[in-house]
Amino acid sequence: MILALPGFSLLSLSSFVDPLRLANAILGRPFFEWSLLSKDGQPVKCASGFGLSVDSDFKWASQVMQSGNRPTMVVVLAGEMVEKQVSASLINVLRLYRRHGVPIAALGTATWLLAEIGMLDGIPCTIHWDKRAAFAETFGRPQVTDRLFVRDNQLVTCAGEFASFDLVMELISEHLGKEVALAVCRHTTAGHWRSTSERQLPISPNEIGICKPIAEIIRIMEEHVEDPIPLRDIARCVGRSQRQIERLFARALSISPMRYYLHVRLSRAKRLVEQTELPIVEVAVACGFASASHFSKCFRLAFGANPNAYRA
């Protein structure tokens, strides 16, 4: 059963559902079945602007559960405006299924909904990297990671997009065996699927001009935004000298490593300004700035307006 909220990622949906369809075709029988539901039973528009017809509404999902015909999993799909999409009907259906021990999977930004309902307190989870900073600052209790997907008992969170494929391939492998899963991979020309232990990588070592050492340095920077670390300590972590790191960045990115580090911190700050209602001084602290005035100056130079004006 799939609960789709307006603005959801069509890529997340197709990456999850199409492998199930292919597994059925390989078996020659409908092992997997699914229903697409919207809040009111009306077609739901995805982020790409397409309106998708649905089978029913969230209320029907509750009726199905109460009739004893429980599904094996409930999947929730949301989009960029997830902060405003918690509703009474969604809360009711998710709590009902949670109470009856039905696994709940949140794809992409839908992790936000589970946290807002209170289902992720103290539970490891993941969310699409673009929302991770806002999520971590808004919800202190969930243990958010940057893994592709996290399975914790009856709750599953997934970064969405292509990570939805990795999650569903693991489920297919568990239910139907690795041979069927490999056949699905061959059909999709994917070749393989990634494991739950792999991380989301906004910057890949395979990108043009980005070598492995630079990718590792950037990863360290992204993990130390609130508490920026000196270049000498970064150099020690990667086993290189400061001068070597400076040359690597100059050659590949035409920028100094510390200037790039500032860019990483300001990019995080921009997402917090856009996606949360945190006071600007708290955004500054969360992004490693000692004073709000210094943060405001750096932000204005980078984005053409101070944080308050940018938010307005």
Side-chain angles (χ1 to χ4, degrees), residues 124-127 132 142-150 196 200:
C125 63
T126 191
I127 192 168
R132 187 182 172 201
Q143 304 168 20
V144 63
T145 75
D146 68 346
R147 284 156 59 185
L148 294 175
F149 58 93
V150 176
T196 180
Q200 300 177 53

Side-chain angles (χ1 to χ4, degrees), residues 31 41-42 44 48 75 78-79 81 83 97 109 133 158 169 193 197 231 245 298 300:
F31 183 88
Q42 296 299 308
V44 58
S48 302
V75 179
M81 303 303 293
E83 300 91 341
Y97 278 84
T109 64
C158 175
M169 289 306 303
W193 66 91
S197 62
L231 184 58
I245 292 175
C298 292
R300 186 173 61 254

Side-chain angles (χ1 to χ4, degrees), residues 58-97:
F58 292 173
K59 185 178 179 181
W60 177 80
S62 298
Q63 294 169 349
V64 168
M65 185 73 245
Q66 291 164 348
S67 71
N69 186 24
R70 54 183 279 173
T72 55
M73 177 175 279
V74 174
V75 179
V76 189
L77 285 165
E80 290 185 6
M81 303 303 293
V82 66
E83 300 91 341
K84 302 176 181 178
Q85 292 186 324
V86 170
S87 64
S89 58
L90 180 65
I91 292 172
N92 290 340
V93 69
L94 290 181
R95 285 182 174 167
L96 176 66
Y97 278 84

